Amino acid sequence: MWLKPEEVLLKNALKLWVTQKSSCYFVLQRRRGHGEGGARLSGRLVGALDAVLDSNARVAPFRILLQVPGSQVYSPIASGATLEEINQHWDWLEQNLLHTLSVFDNKDDIASFVKGKVKALIAEETSSRLAEQEEEPEKFREALVKFAARFNFPEAEKLVTYYSCCCWKGRVPRQGWLYLSINHLCFYSFFLGKELKLVVPWVDVQKLERTSSVFLTDTIRITTQNKERDFSMFLNLDEVFRVMEQLADVTLRRLLDNEVFDLDPDLQEPSQITKRDLEARAQNEFFRAFFRLPRREKLRAVVDCALWTPFSRCHTAGRMFASDSYVCFASREDGRCTVVLPLREVVSIEKMEDTSLLPNPIIVSIRSKMAFQFIELRDREGLVESLLARLKQVHADHPVHYDTSTSDDGDMMTPVFYSSMCGDHRFGDLEMVSPQSSEENEKSLLPRPEPLTPVFPQSGSPRPDSRLSREQIKISLWNDHFAEYGRTVCMFRTEKIRKLVAMGIPEALRGRLWLLFSDAVTDLASHPGYYGKLVEESLGQCCLVTEEIERDLHRSLPEHPAFQNETGIAALRRVLTAYAHRNPRIGYCQSMNILTSVLLLYAKEEEAFWLLVAVCERMLPDYFNHRVIGAQVDQSVFEELIREHLPELAEHMNDLSALASVSLSWFLTLFLSIMPLESAVNVVDCFFYDGIKAIFQLGLAVLEATAEELCSSKDDGQALMILSRFLDHIKNEDSPGPPIGSHHAFFSDDQEPYPVTDIADLIRDSYEKFGDQSVEQIEHLRCKHRIRVLQGHEDTTRQNVLRVVIPEVLLSPEDLEELYDLFKREHMLSCYWAQPGPVALRHDPSRPYAEQYRIDAQQFTRLFLLLSPWTCGAHTEILAERTFRLLDDNMDQLLEFRAFVSCLDIMYNGEMNEKIKLLYRLHIPPALTENDRDSQSPLKNPLLPAPRPLVLGSPNGDPVDYQKQLKQMIRDLAKDKDKTEKELPKMSQREFIQFCKTLYSMFHEDPEENNLYQAIATVTTLLLQIGEVGQRGSSSQECAEELQGPAPSPEQDSVFVEPGKPAQDARAFPNVAEGVWTVSLEHILASLLTEQSLVNFFEKPLDIKSKLENAKINQYGLKTLEMSRQSQPELKLSNPQ
């Protein structure tokens, strides 16, 4: 155990302890009298002394001391009762600390660092023990308080767990605490008087991996867009990495992949996620992937046990996995034996008599008259009780319909599941999308009662009798296997059956075995009549999905006779349309047609439908959707496997993305589109038995077989041709039918015959050379690369948005990148702590790039406060609200990045007239509304108490005639005005008052504040007088005509008549006693241009970089402050600030 370091003088302890090991900084000692065969007198005395002492006073026989070179003072840091225990501590110190200490220059720093690390380990051990004893130990509550105080997150930011560790800054470690919360990874250190805080959102993590270096044997590296962070010296690094991996995966998929990702029920509410939930999720993911079960299955118990295996005549040690609808078994030795028992197949679960030979046994009996004996079960009573409860529930939810009558397949599956989709079942009078005769139409509505291959035999030269005899031999081998290992979904699955599958499943058994291996047979039996109902509901409908299906129907295996006539096409149409109706989230994706065509060749129509369900929804998760995330993840995993197993090829092809683009069809169509059909179906056999692992290892085998040619290729095009030619020449010598080539393959013009590869040999090589990848390893790699793929999509979105925006604004690309990051983070901040509902409304990966991230009014206001150069004090929030209303063109209460940046660009880089125009638009509808919280009633009197003359003195004493200047400016503005631009409405007095209020507030704390106030007072008075004159003398329509027509002389321009002087042309005011007070944009702009201080204010250069830096620091704090105000409205009312 680790000890709290306390200084001791080694001089006084030399007689009691013997040094066993030593290094520069540590000493391992043994107590005299312990572990000595022939001890001397001194050793015997010490041993006797220790023996007579009571248990509380006894000294542990082994200890480790910290020694600082040159000092006589040592500190014990660990003790142990056995040599093995103390050696574990010594090994940990050597691996994690010894190399690290060399970076310190000061000996005192070394002592402080080691003591701090040991104290942290003691605290972590204590908290771990407490966590085992109670749900929420006191130590965790203390950590929660420290986490909240140090990082100032809202209460909704749930702390999941915490660890003591070191964060490396270059070659210098900083000892501290790592806090893992639902949305962030945080690190805090206070060492040698220096405080360090790190906050890394999980959504910014681009890579999470375990690495090693010269100094440290094992570290966890977190990579973000600009930085890498290394964390080490964990007490249990495996546990820490698993938790971090789960948190990163859950958070990234919840926030970035909500197109297809559904959280487990226990993780639906992020604020309730615990470490135990994450560990359970990891176990659930492994369980479902290993046995390829539906996603709805939740693991209820994992129990060590042993299963009687009659083929080996012994009990095989392993583990039982019990879920809602299944009982499964996996042997400890990988591949030796697995069993899948659907509870709907189970008849009874009984306890047997407990004996010394059969401890704690239970018997699970199934309908096919087989029984499975499990022994060595802990808590047998509770396990049996829970299994019986779930068995009762399954039978109540899905009553079993099965037919024990004899059928053609009786030797294959007994009993045969009864399905309501019988051959004489009809679906009513439906109209087909494609034109057909009425007789053909009627036939096309009926599901095929049999696979298509026997009905439509392949044309061509018949196969030799030797191949037919080999097919019969295979069938005989399979029947022998069924007799020994079982013939239903509950069969014993061993290495022997894998070898049979690798040889190729006989065509007569292929469809049935696909159903068993994928467990689609359970779905088929559990949902009688379901497929027929879907066919009735879906056929005849016309939508985008059905149009895509119709377009691809005749491209599906056109070389096969089954799809050269309407019978096969109609069956394919029904299955694809029914599935699209069942799962509209996936709908239809290209490559589904090829896969479904092959399924229909070997399975009945309803069986093919459930096989498609199994492939799309659990065997190839997330493959068939808008962004094919699942396929891209597996491609990325495949690239890593290439680097690991074929390093020379990876080195030659520096960029493996070319191979990845070629291999996409390998994953999406299971090699069906690029390999001759009779060979590719053998690949599908292996896929249904071993899952995606079979595709990975076969892909590696293909690359290894062509590695020499690929390494000599000059470009990607030549490499593509090499692979295509190789795949097209893979033959199946055992196929009973004539060969059918792949119409997708590339052919070479070379006259020289290309060597043929037998698919059985290729599959055997793939298992022998690359079959060592376990399901657990593949799932770990998938989790690792899913982060990379999702972040790759985010980078693509970012690049495309910036590519569109950069030409439209004057902001630099670097500033735009930082603005985009702030904009996205603002969206994420609301996703972190808001309810999960609105997320889908704001982040939609299927939308155009520029529209994927959008923010609402509150989010925009926070960004406006952080980034806008127009700071108006308390008035800034009101200005932000008006700006949002102005930019929200479609009034959906959401704003895109493009509109946000265009507004900021005007504020920072626009010319004065553009800025004034923007301000003008912010103070007229729709930006300014009747319910605006800062609007007031129109003033009946001028803003200033006394009118000011329109002729003022200039600094040199000469009078300045404002009338002439304003008229000339208005004429110039009207002349230069774009004819296509929509004319802005004039501003009312109420709107003008708000406009003036904004201008006054903008000048606060400006160095030229006094001059600006004087200038704006002059301009305001001038504009008020202009408006009053117009109110007395003209209608708004005549004013507009005056601005658009020829400029009148000063004597005829009634707008500029001095107060009290009548207008000379009375025709300018026909029949109008009193008009409406208005001013136009041209009036305001011309008036502002007369004051140089105002011109200087609006034209002075502005730098956004300081605002960006401030925003990055304060963005979290602003959100936290807002949430605290919302949660405590009474505090907000009592504090007007």
Side-chain angles (χ1 to χ4, degrees), residues 424-480:
D424 59 350
H425 185 85
R426 301 202 177 189
F427 297 97
D429 298 327
L430 301 176
E431 295 182 4
M432 300 303 297
V433 178
S434 60
Q436 306 170 57
S437 67
S438 59
E439 182 178 355
E440 290 176 337
N441 187 29
E442 183 178 0
K443 291 180 180 179
S444 68
L445 301 179
L446 303 178
R448 292 297 308 167
E450 55 189 342
L452 295 176
T453 296
V455 180
F456 299 96
Q458 301 173 24
S459 59
S461 58
R463 289 289 190 181
D465 293 339
S466 61
R467 297 190 178 182
L468 295 176
S469 63
R470 271 184 278 181
E471 187 80 357
Q472 292 299 324
I473 293 172
K474 285 185 181 181
I475 293 177
S476 177
L477 290 173
W478 275 98
N479 283 330
D480 292 343

Side-chain angles (χ1 to χ4, degrees), residues 858-1104:
Q858 283 187 336
Q859 295 167 317
F860 177 83
T861 299
R862 287 194 294 272
L863 284 178
F864 192 92
L865 292 171
L866 290 169
L867 295 170
S868 173
W870 294 351
T871 53
C872 309
H875 192 68
T876 309
E877 287 192 31
I878 297 168
L879 191 64
E881 293 171 4
R882 295 172 185 168
T883 307
F884 182 85
R885 287 195 291 267
L886 175 66
L887 299 177
D888 185 20
D889 293 331
N890 56 3
M891 302 181 69
D892 63 351
Q893 304 302 312
L894 295 171
L895 209 61
E896 301 162 10
F897 178 71
R898 191 175 184 176
F900 170 73
V901 169
S902 64
C903 174
L904 277 183
D905 186 57
I906 294 174
M907 293 180 180
Y908 279 96
N909 301 314
E911 297 180 357
M912 179 178 176
N913 61 331
E914 294 176 316
K915 295 179 181 179
I916 299 303
K917 182 178 179 181
L918 175 60
L919 276 171
Y920 184 90
R921 294 181 65 193
L922 291 177
H923 294 84
I924 59 174
L928 187 72
T929 63
E930 291 292 334
N931 299 323
D932 194 297
R933 58 186 172 122
D934 196 47
S935 62
Q936 301 175 1
S937 302
L939 293 182
K940 297 181 180 179
N941 299 316
L943 194 62
L944 298 179
R948 300 179 63 179
L950 294 181
V951 178
L952 301 175
S954 65
N956 59 10
D958 298 329
V960 178
D961 191 343
Y962 275 54
Q963 292 182 5
K964 292 182 180 180
Q965 288 188 13
L966 288 173
K967 284 185 286 186
Q968 184 61 42
M969 289 177 183
I970 290 174
R971 282 193 289 268
D972 292 341
L973 289 168
K975 191 183 298 181
D976 296 337
K977 190 174 182 181
D978 186 2
K979 300 300 181 184
T980 62
E981 184 181 353
K982 184 179 179 182
E983 184 178 359
L984 292 174
K986 295 190 176 183
M987 186 177 281
S988 68
Q989 190 181 62
R990 180 181 75 92
E991 296 161 355
F992 176 70
I993 292 169
Q994 295 303 313
F995 178 84
C996 295
K997 185 173 182 179
T998 300
L999 287 178
Y1000 270 95
S1001 60
M1002 285 173 65
F1003 303 146
H1004 183 58
E1005 295 185 356
D1006 190 275
E1008 298 292 326
E1009 182 176 355
N1010 292 333
N1011 293 335
L1012 289 170
Y1013 280 152
Q1014 184 176 0
I1016 196 62
T1018 302
V1019 171
T1020 302
T1021 303
L1022 176 62
L1023 288 169
L1024 282 169
Q1025 292 176 357
I1026 291 173
E1028 287 178 358
V1029 172
Q1031 183 181 20
R1032 291 196 303 266
S1034 66
S1035 67
S1036 59
Q1037 181 180 358
E1038 289 171 335
C1039 290
E1041 291 174 356
E1042 175 192 3
L1043 289 175
Q1044 295 174 1
S1049 63
E1051 292 78 10
Q1052 296 175 335
D1053 192 350
S1054 61
V1055 176
F1056 296 103
V1057 175
E1058 295 181 12
K1061 184 175 180 179
Q1064 294 182 6
D1065 190 356
R1067 291 174 298 175
F1069 316 101
N1071 302 324
V1072 179
E1074 177 126 359
V1076 178
W1077 192 102
T1078 58
V1079 291
S1080 67
L1081 171 63
E1082 289 77 11
H1083 286 145
I1084 292 175
L1085 183 57
S1087 302
L1088 292 172
L1089 287 171
T1090 61
E1091 292 290 339
Q1092 189 61 42
S1093 58
L1094 295 175
V1095 174
N1096 294 340
F1097 176 82
F1098 283 106
E1099 291 190 346
K1100 66 182 178 183
L1102 299 171
D1103 186 15
I1104 197 175

Side-chain angles (χ1 to χ4, degrees), residues 696-913:
F696 283 131
Q697 62 193 34
L698 187 68
L700 291 172
V702 169
L703 293 179
E704 189 204 34
T706 55
E708 186 175 345
E709 290 183 86
L710 289 173
C711 287
S712 61
S713 63
K714 299 178 181 178
D715 53 38
D716 294 342
Q718 187 178 358
L720 173 62
M721 186 64 70
I722 291 168
L723 286 171
S724 301
R725 187 171 54 181
F726 175 82
L727 290 165
D728 189 55
H729 285 81
I730 295 176
K731 304 302 179 184
N732 186 355
E733 299 298 333
D734 293 341
S735 176
I740 294 183
S742 172
H743 68 287
H744 294 273
F746 290 82
F747 294 93
S748 173
D749 296 332
D750 298 339
Q751 298 300 321
E752 184 178 344
Y754 192 83
V756 172
T757 304
D758 185 46
I759 185 63
D761 295 337
L762 188 65
I763 290 175
R764 185 176 60 253
D765 287 347
S766 74
Y767 274 103
E768 291 177 354
K769 297 178 181 179
F770 309 108
D772 57 347
Q773 295 292 331
S774 67
V775 172
E776 190 172 12
Q777 290 171 322
I778 290 175
E779 288 304 305
H780 166 69
L781 288 173
R782 277 177 162 178
C783 191
K784 171 184 173 181
H785 287 275
R786 189 180 294 111
I787 296 174
R788 175 180 173 273
V789 169
L790 288 175
Q791 293 293 12
H793 278 275
E794 290 301 300
D795 289 342
T796 302
T797 300
R798 186 173 186 257
Q799 292 166 9
N800 281 277
V801 171
L802 294 177
R803 178 176 54 81
V804 172
V805 172
I806 285 174
E808 299 178 354
V809 298
L810 297 175
L811 292 166
S812 68
E814 295 78 15
D815 292 340
L816 280 173
E817 289 177 2
E818 294 195 25
L819 280 171
Y820 181 85
D821 293 340
L822 287 167
F823 186 89
K824 177 182 171 181
R825 188 177 298 125
E826 191 60 46
H827 161 80
M828 290 298 173
L829 286 176
S830 292
C831 298
Y832 291 160
W833 304 305
Q835 293 299 320
V839 177
L841 299 176
R842 291 197 287 270
H843 178 220
D844 184 358
S846 64
R847 294 177 66 89
Y849 290 117
E851 301 175 12
Q852 287 190 16
Y853 285 106
R854 296 179 289 173
I855 56 176
D856 58 24
Q858 283 187 336
Q859 295 167 317
F860 177 83
T861 299
R862 287 194 294 272
L863 284 178
F864 192 92
L865 292 171
L866 290 169
L867 295 170
S868 173
W870 294 351
T871 53
C872 309
H875 192 68
T876 309
E877 287 192 31
I878 297 168
L879 191 64
E881 293 171 4
R882 295 172 185 168
T883 307
F884 182 85
R885 287 195 291 267
L886 175 66
L887 299 177
D888 185 20
D889 293 331
N890 56 3
M891 302 181 69
D892 63 351
Q893 304 302 312
L894 295 171
L895 209 61
E896 301 162 10
F897 178 71
R898 191 175 184 176
F900 170 73
V901 169
S902 64
C903 174
L904 277 183
D905 186 57
I906 294 174
M907 293 180 180
Y908 279 96
N909 301 314
E911 297 180 357
M912 179 178 176
N913 61 331

Side-chain angles (χ1 to χ4, degrees), residues 59-162:
V59 179
F62 299 95
R63 71 177 183 179
I64 296 175
L65 302 176
L66 167 66
Q67 65 169 5
V68 178
S71 173
Q72 290 295 318
V73 178
Y74 286 60
S75 302
I77 58 174
S79 65
T82 64
L83 183 61
E84 182 182 2
E85 180 185 358
I86 203 67
N87 276 333
Q88 289 179 353
H89 288 72
W90 181 267
D91 292 341
W92 191 92
L93 291 171
E94 282 190 330
Q95 293 174 8
N96 293 278
L97 280 186
L98 197 56
H99 299 294
T100 307
L101 301 181
S102 60
V103 302
F104 291 98
D105 298 327
N106 192 324
K107 297 176 182 178
D108 293 335
D109 292 347
I110 293 175
S112 299
F113 177 77
V114 174
K115 290 177 181 178
K117 182 62 189 173
V118 171
K119 289 177 181 177
L121 290 174
I122 294 171
E124 187 172 348
E125 283 185 336
T126 304
S127 64
S128 299
R129 288 194 297 271
L130 287 172
E132 292 175 359
Q133 296 170 4
E134 57 182 296
E135 287 292 328
E136 193 172 335
E138 190 63 33
K139 289 289 184 182
F140 187 82
R141 283 195 288 270
E142 290 179 13
L144 189 59
V145 171
K146 292 178 180 178
F147 172 71
R150 289 167 176 171
F151 299 100
N152 194 31
F153 285 126
E155 291 183 7
E157 184 65 12
K158 171 79 164 54
L159 177 65
V160 176
T161 188
Y162 65 100

Side-chain angles (χ1 to χ4, degrees), residues 183 192 208 224 414 425 600 622 671 695 888 946 960 1045:
N183 298 303
L192 300 178
L208 174 64
T224 57
T414 305
H425 185 85
L600 284 167
D622 299 343
F671 286 91
I695 307 301
D888 185 20
V960 178

